[in-house]
Amino acid sequence: MEARDATAGSLVSSDGEEQTAKEDAAPTKDTPQTKGKFEKIFGFRREDLTSWDSLVTLLNRPSDPASLGIFRCLFGLLMVIDITQERGLSHLDYKFMDGAPVCRFPLFNFLKPLPLDWMYLVYVVMFFGALGIMLGCFYRLSGLMFISSYWYIFFLDKTAWNNHSYLYGLIGFQLTLMEGNRYWSIDGLRRPSIRNAQVPLWNYTILRTQIFIVYFLAGIKKLDADWVEGYSMSYLAHHWLFDPFKVILPVELINLLVVHGGGLILDLSAGYLLFFDATRPYGIFFVSYFHCMNSQLFSIGMFSYTMLATSPIFCYPDWPRRFFARFPAFLSAVLPITSTDPQPSTSCVYNEIQSTSTERQETPTVPKASKMRLKHKLGAIFTILYIMEQFFLPYSHFITQGYNNWTNGLYGYSWDMMVHSRSHQHVKITYKDGKTGEIGYLNPGVFTQSRRWKDHGDMLKQYGTCLNEFLPRYNISEPEIYFDIWVSINERFQQRIFDPRVDVVKADWSPFQPNTWLMPLLVDLSPWRTKFQEIEGSLDNQTDIVFIADFPENFVSEDLGNTSIHVLQGKVNVEVVEEKKNYTLTPGEQLKVPAGAYHKVYTVSEGPSCYMYIYVNTTEAALQENFTKLFELQERVRNGTETEPLPPELQPLITADDEGSEVNATDPIVQLFLKRQRRMKEVKKRREAGAVERLQRFAVKKYYTIRRGLLMTAIALRNLAVGLPPLEQLTREVAFANMKAPQAEGNQDDPLKDEVGHGEL
């Protein structure tokens, strides 16, 4: 809310007629007064909050539509791009496969996806809705098209929820109710009565408050001890974006002070910095730097750019007029209006001026409201209720207790962005035939395309129910489903999150009752995290470690040699199943466990136990040793110091440098070495590429992504219109849509993964 939102053309007489600037001789009841200090700072007077009528008048005060119109256009453009990417239009056929047995996770179980071709039609509706918002064309209808299809898709899959997708839906809903088509819109060209017309202040109030909430509550959530102590996002400190800080700070302090401390301070202060005139330039600079970094750190689609587009909302509403007025005159036909006199609107409430002048006053082309109407009061009521709801919802977890796990609520509407990081050590799904008693195991993630179910009791219940429906097709009668999931949150011990003894199919779950089969987080063991860092720092590169709390059963892969269990706290009994022997261990004691065999660990102390596995991946170590020998041999061949002739299986080492040559080696170790070497070269080439090459690669990748989405959409619409073509034709059409760029390369930031990974302990 700012005093500058009220313009000189906002003054209205008691009979609805405009007072011209030339009528300065006419005495008035109210005369312009000097703004007080409070009004200069906050943009409104204290008196505006003393009564309901004055508050309604304030929230419906006429404001320049320019800033709102530019934001509407930018938001619509970003959503058009987002639909083909993060919303999934380019891979919709993989997400909603017709006829395939897939377990889904809607917010409400009655929500089901439509047949694939109809889902494409839903996306077409959403696309044209976003396009209509961008152009300001049939604005209300476009807004309804966008939000109805967007929220349907959003509620259809909880596993895809995140804070920025939730924010897009909120902003789309807000814009649908606002008058965003009053500036630089096709509607304005079609209807001169709304073109460049003022908008009520509540349009800006809701948007500004929404963005303030995003920043401020994200900062409040970061007051969590794990964030303050630097455990939430510790891996970020190693990213190349923080290299400039490494000149003066060690990685540990970059993690604590820059990543976590800086993120906390920025989120808490950003909303305030953007609100006040004196601090706004600094706020825009810091949040712009912050979002530009986030666009490189995370795969978050259009979120960074959407937040960049929201920053100007806090500026003077007429900033686009001053900005575009600096462009050459010949561009005025395609640029927004730069006139400084927006026309009045019935959507606003104007201050009344009682005039005694007898001169004839001109009637404005658009009637202006001088009295409060029902729509003004409804706008004020909506503003107040919406803001209250947005402050309340992130703390409503005491109502929706069934969605609470180790973190409160479903991720995506509480603005707890990046506060929690998880790693999973062990996931086991056990089924039991209800008639025969037969026990078997399922591949984790079978019948589903998501992994987020592992951390949420509501999704686990949906997944278990879905498995119960699918397994009878495979001659498993009345199946019982048990989940054994081990999770580490924010670098704590790996521990169970759900009770593995509970049949999830029959387990009770309610959105309003606590989950009784959720295991408690062992927060008392959190101080051990500082010790973890010391222990990990003392190991060599080929020795790994896993920290466990109360792990009951374990299988040590034959790839893992010299595996030992070290007790840190509590008292445990280790049973080696094949040897039928038991060993009791107390803190400080260790035991070497055999490879290729099961062993069980029982806690026998009164309190929880915790321990760690230290092991060496012998297979990977041997592979790395062979790689080193092959690399040294290759170097000797290149510099001519190798005098012995190479055997046939090593001959491919000579031609490895030929560009475009295929890896044609008979020895599997040599083949793996050459593939790894070639991939490392490709990664290095991509990282050392210039800006033009990077931009070209980015553009080509996006082109083929968008191309596939549009072609598959065209195929689906054709199918709806005229029916399915012959299978051969459909196969050719899909193959053409799937065409990729020649010599397509992976993402430049993809890490070079080891060919041989660790087996799960």
Side-chain angles (χ1 to χ4, degrees):
M1 302 177 188
E2 301 182 53
R4 54 179 171 270
D5 291 347
T7 62
S10 304
L11 305 180
V12 189
S13 67
S14 59
D15 59 356
E17 295 179 339
E18 184 179 4
Q19 301 295 319
T20 63
K22 295 182 179 180
E23 293 175 341
D24 54 348
T28 60
K29 182 178 179 180
D30 297 329
T31 57
Q33 298 179 354
T34 304
K35 297 176 184 177
K37 185 176 181 181
F38 183 89
E39 186 175 1
K40 289 181 179 178
I41 295 176
F42 293 99
F44 59 91
R45 300 170 301 169
R46 291 188 179 91
E47 292 78 6
D48 292 330
L49 306 178
T50 55
S51 68
W52 170 245
D53 286 348
S54 61
L55 179 60
V56 174
T57 301
L58 172 64
L59 291 176
N60 287 277
R61 188 172 66 188
S63 304
D64 197 304
S67 185
L68 181 62
I70 295 299
F71 174 72
R72 178 217 78 228
C73 183
L74 292 175
F75 177 77
L77 172 63
L78 293 170
M79 292 303 99
V80 166
I81 300 173
D82 178 79
I83 288 169
T84 63
Q85 298 184 63
E86 193 171 2
R87 290 319 110 205
L89 179 61
S90 62
H91 56 273
L92 197 62
D93 51 325
Y94 297 110
K95 188 173 183 180
F96 299 105
M97 296 180 289
D98 279 346
V102 178
C103 296
R104 304 194 184 279
F105 305 90
L107 179 61
F108 308 106
N109 288 328
F110 64 83
L111 281 177
K112 305 293 182 183
L114 300 173
L116 179 60
D117 289 341
W118 287 98
M119 287 302 300
Y120 273 104
L121 182 61
V122 171
Y123 271 72
V124 169
V125 171
M126 181 166 57
F127 179 86
F128 280 105
L131 187 64
I133 291 175
M134 180 185 76
L135 299 175
C137 182
F138 298 101
Y139 179 66
R140 301 284 186 208
L141 176 61
S142 296
L144 288 173
M145 289 169 59
F146 176 74
I147 63 172
S148 59
S149 52
Y150 186 93
W151 283 104
Y152 167 67
I153 293 168
F154 185 78
F155 288 144
L156 204 56
D157 186 10
K158 289 182 293 187
T159 65
W161 280 25
N162 50 48
N163 288 280
H164 60 268
S165 296
Y166 172 60
L167 179 64
Y168 297 161
L170 293 179
I171 294 178
F173 169 68
Q174 295 167 20
L175 287 177
T176 302
L177 300 180
M178 294 176 183
E179 298 180 356
N181 62 338
R182 299 308 196 248
Y183 186 79
W184 206 29
S185 68
I186 292 179
D187 286 347
L189 297 177
R190 296 190 305 110
R191 300 167 54 194
S193 60
I194 68 169
R195 187 185 187 195
N196 197 29
Q198 293 168 326
V199 299
L201 181 60
W202 66 263
N203 286 200
Y204 286 103
T205 301
I206 288 181
L207 278 174
R208 291 169 179 168
T209 307
Q210 182 69 75
I211 303 307
F212 174 86
I213 288 173
V214 172
Y215 283 120
F216 185 69
L217 290 192
I220 295 295
K221 299 287 183 174
K222 286 181 174 62
L223 291 174
D224 180 86
D226 285 357
W227 183 277
V228 174
E229 295 173 10
Y231 291 110
S232 296
M233 293 281 120
S234 58
Y235 65 90
L236 287 183
H238 299 278
H239 197 278
W240 64 265
L241 279 173
F242 296 98
D243 286 350
F245 297 100
K246 296 174 184 177
V247 177
I248 56 176
L249 293 174
V251 173
E252 293 78 11
L253 287 182
I254 292 175
N255 170 55
L256 183 63
L257 301 179
V258 181
V259 175
H260 290 88
L264 172 63
I265 294 172
L266 181 82
D267 280 337
L268 286 175
S269 61
Y272 295 101
L273 293 175
L274 291 171
F275 183 83
F276 296 106
D277 288 353
T279 57
R280 187 172 303 117
Y282 305 103
I284 290 178
F285 171 79
F286 284 117
V287 299
S288 299
Y289 182 76
F290 174 72
H291 292 303
C292 288
M293 289 186 66
N294 283 346
S295 69
Q296 300 299 310
L297 288 170
F298 308 108
S299 297
I300 49 178
M302 295 293 106
F303 178 55
S304 298
Y305 310 106
T306 302
M307 293 304 292
L308 289 172
T310 63
S311 296
I313 286 290
F314 291 87
C315 298
Y316 286 80
D318 63 343
W319 71 264
R321 302 181 190 275
R322 300 193 305 273
F323 176 75
F324 290 109
R326 300 179 181 181
F327 283 72
F330 69 88
L331 295 176
S332 60
V334 295
L335 292 178
I337 300 172
T338 58
S339 169
T340 58
D341 297 320
Q343 62 173 320
S345 169
T346 57
S347 299
C348 304
V349 174
Y350 295 84
N351 295 323
E352 297 184 12
I353 296 183
Q354 304 295 335
S355 175
T356 59
S357 172
T358 60
E359 296 182 16
R360 180 181 179 276
Q361 298 176 357
E362 297 181 359
T363 303
T365 57
V366 178
K368 297 182 294 182
S370 58
K371 296 181 181 179
M372 257 181 271
R373 298 180 181 177
L374 178 61
K375 66 177 180 180
H376 301 136
K377 295 179 181 179
L378 291 177
I381 292 173
F382 169 73
T383 301
I384 295 170
L385 292 180
Y386 181 84
I387 292 174
M388 292 173 60
E389 179 265 343
Q390 281 297 299
F391 273 107
F392 169 76
L393 195 60
Y395 296 97
S396 62
H397 309 302
F398 66 93
I399 298 176
T400 55
Q401 298 183 68
Y403 294 104
N404 296 341
N405 298 285
W406 286 349
T407 57
N408 287 332
L410 288 168
Y411 182 70
Y413 67 95
S414 297
W415 312 120
D416 50 348
M417 293 176 276
M418 306 300 178
V419 177
H420 304 105
S421 61
R422 298 175 177 86
S423 64
H424 298 81
Q425 179 65 30
H426 176 80
V427 179
K428 182 171 70 174
I429 305 177
T430 305
Y431 70 83
K432 180 180 179 180
D433 191 303
K435 290 185 177 180
T436 65
E438 178 188 358
I439 294 177
Y441 303 95
L442 299 176
N443 181 30
V446 65
F447 300 127
T448 183
Q449 301 168 323
S450 173
R451 297 181 180 180
R452 193 177 283 190
W453 53 267
K454 294 184 290 188
D455 301 313
H456 300 274
D458 60 298
M459 297 185 197
L460 207 68
K461 175 67 175 179
Q462 289 176 307
Y463 190 30
T465 303
C466 178
L467 292 176
N468 177 261
E469 296 173 356
F470 284 156
L471 290 182
R473 304 179 187 179
Y474 302 89
N475 300 321
I476 301 172
S477 304
E478 301 176 6
E480 301 173 6
I481 307 296
Y482 302 89
F483 292 93
D484 194 9
I485 303 172
W486 290 81
V487 187
S488 168
I489 184 168
N490 291 345
E491 302 185 16
R492 288 181 173 85
F493 283 99
Q494 292 279 343
Q495 66 159 101
R496 274 197 175 105
I497 184 171
F498 300 109
D499 192 336
R501 300 165 297 180
V502 173
D503 175 13
V504 175
V505 178
K506 299 177 182 177
D508 293 328
W509 182 86
S510 167
F512 306 110
Q513 298 294 330
N515 190 343
T516 56
W517 33 280
L518 173 72
M519 305 290 282
L521 179 64
L522 301 177
V523 292
D524 293 342
L525 301 179
S526 297
W528 276 96
R529 288 181 293 188
T530 56
K531 186 67 175 178
F532 293 171
Q533 297 173 353
E534 298 176 10
I535 297 173
E536 289 173 337
S538 64
L539 302 178
D540 58 48
N541 293 333
Q542 294 184 350
T543 303
D544 288 315
I545 192 168
V546 177
F547 299 97
I548 306 294
D550 284 337
F551 209 116
E553 182 180 14
N554 207 348
F555 176 79
V556 180
S557 170
E558 294 181 354
D559 291 332
L560 306 182
N562 197 26
T563 303
S564 58
I565 178 173
H566 299 243
V567 177
L568 301 174
Q569 178 177 310
K571 187 177 181 180
V572 301
N573 187 285
V574 182
E575 176 189 356
V576 181
V577 178
E578 292 186 358
E579 297 179 1
K580 297 182 180 180
K581 292 183 179 180
N582 292 281
Y583 305 88
T584 301
L585 302 178
T586 57
E589 295 182 337
Q590 59 180 320
L591 173 70
K592 186 174 181 179
V593 291
Y598 276 101
H599 67 274
K600 297 181 179 180
V601 181
Y602 303 96
T603 297
V604 294
S605 56
E606 294 182 359
S609 66
C610 56
Y611 40 93
M612 61 183 178
Y613 286 94
I614 298 179
Y615 59 93
V616 176
N617 191 322
T618 53
T619 302
E620 184 176 3
L623 184 64
Q624 292 297 334
E625 183 179 354
N626 287 329
F627 281 176
T628 301
K629 293 179 179 179
L630 289 174
F631 179 76
E632 293 174 351
L633 176 61
Q634 189 181 52
E635 287 298 305
R636 291 198 301 269
V637 171
R638 286 173 178 171
N639 57 34
T641 58
E642 178 61 34
T643 58
E644 297 292 331
L646 295 182
E649 63 270 15
L650 298 181
Q651 288 293 330
L653 294 175
I654 302 176
T655 60
D657 294 333
D658 295 343
E659 292 291 337
S661 62
E662 296 183 1
V663 176
N664 188 18
T666 56
D667 187 282
I669 301 296
V670 175
Q671 186 179 41
L672 196 59
F673 169 75
L674 294 177
K675 286 184 177 180
R676 182 177 186 269
Q677 194 176 51
R678 179 164 296 182
R679 188 178 175 193
M680 290 178 65
K681 289 180 180 179
E682 291 175 355
V683 171
K684 182 179 179 181
K685 180 181 178 181
R686 291 197 300 267
R687 290 178 175 172
E688 295 177 351
V692 175
E693 185 179 346
R694 287 171 179 259
L695 181 61
Q696 180 183 8
R697 187 167 59 238
F698 173 81
V700 169
K701 180 180 178 181
K702 294 304 178 185
Y703 164 75
Y704 280 95
T705 299
I706 296 173
R707 174 185 179 275
R708 185 182 192 278
L710 296 180
L711 289 176
M712 293 298 294
T713 301
I715 294 172
L717 296 181
R718 188 275 317 278
N719 294 344
L720 291 175
V722 300
L724 287 170
L727 183 59
E728 296 78 7
Q729 178 184 341
L730 188 61
T731 302
R732 290 196 303 270
E733 291 173 347
V734 173
F736 179 72
N738 287 335
M739 186 175 65
K740 297 183 181 296
Q743 298 180 350
E745 296 177 351
N747 189 292
Q748 65 181 14
D749 292 324
D750 285 346
L752 180 62
K753 298 179 181 179
D754 293 333
E755 284 77 5
V756 178
H758 305 150
E760 209 176 50
L761 268 179

